[in-house]
Amino acid sequence: MVPLIEANIRLNRNFHTELTTKDVCALAYPWGTTPSNELLESLNMVIMSDVVYDPVFYQPLVHSIEMLLMRPSTVCIMAHRHRHPEDHKFFALLEETGFQATQIPYQPSEALRDACQDVKLLRIARVEVGR
């Protein structure tokens, strides 16, 4: 999967020449593991897609989100398509851990409208104290 993402990054650099390899990179990260300090210090955005598909992985995924979003400035964007009848349990676990998923309104291009009509774009963030 990482080589495909890296190819996509290279293609996008053709349109965004200001991006360097330090700005955007793709890394393999086993869910549930503790990320390196080097990764955490340089991380400012996490982009996830099609990750909520098997309840067995909900706990390690939420743990990973908790670890990767330790810095308040780190942003997490997730594309989600309902695939499993128990995917609501992932979002419940996310909330129990102190996070919320907020839907981001977007309008897919006409070419992608049919393919993406059931895809939700979500921002995952820690719940602010006092809210």
Side-chain angles (χ1 to χ4, degrees), residues 18-36:
E18 72 280 5
L19 295 177
T20 68
T21 54
K22 289 185 177 185
D23 292 326
V24 180
C25 67
L27 299 170
Y29 172 67
W31 295 346
T33 64
T34 302
S36 69

Side-chain angles (χ1 to χ4, degrees), residues 8-9 29 45 48 80 92 108:
N8 196 354
I9 291 169
Y29 172 67
M45 179 172 282
M48 306 183 302
H80 174 68

Side-chain angles (χ1 to χ4, degrees), residues 4-107:
L4 180 60
I5 296 169
E6 288 172 334
N8 196 354
I9 291 169
R10 282 192 302 276
L11 287 171
N12 278 285
R13 279 202 187 101
N14 292 333
F15 300 101
H16 300 281
T17 55
E18 72 280 5
L19 295 177
T20 68
T21 54
K22 289 185 177 185
D23 292 326
V24 180
C25 67
L27 299 170
Y29 172 67
W31 295 346
T33 64
T34 302
S36 69
N37 286 335
E38 181 183 11
L39 173 62
L40 291 176
E41 289 169 5
S42 64
L43 187 67
N44 58 22
M45 179 172 282
V46 176
I47 300 174
M48 306 183 302
S49 179
D50 295 318
V51 293
V52 181
Y53 52 84
D54 187 339
V56 170
F57 299 112
Y58 294 172
Q59 179 62 48
L61 177 56
V62 168
H63 178 72
S64 294
I65 290 168
E66 188 174 20
M67 304 272 31
L68 294 170
L69 299 185
M70 289 176 70
R71 286 186 15 211
S73 60
T74 304
V75 175
C76 181
I77 305 295
M78 180 174 94
H80 174 68
R81 173 179 277 144
H82 175 70
R83 295 185 187 276
H84 196 282
E86 294 184 7
D87 66 4
H88 65 277
K89 292 181 179 180
F90 165 79
F91 293 101
L93 185 59
L94 197 62
E95 284 186 26
E96 289 170 17
T97 311
F99 290 89
Q100 65 183 18
T102 306
Q103 189 166 348
I104 301 170
Y106 80 102
Q107 187 67 272

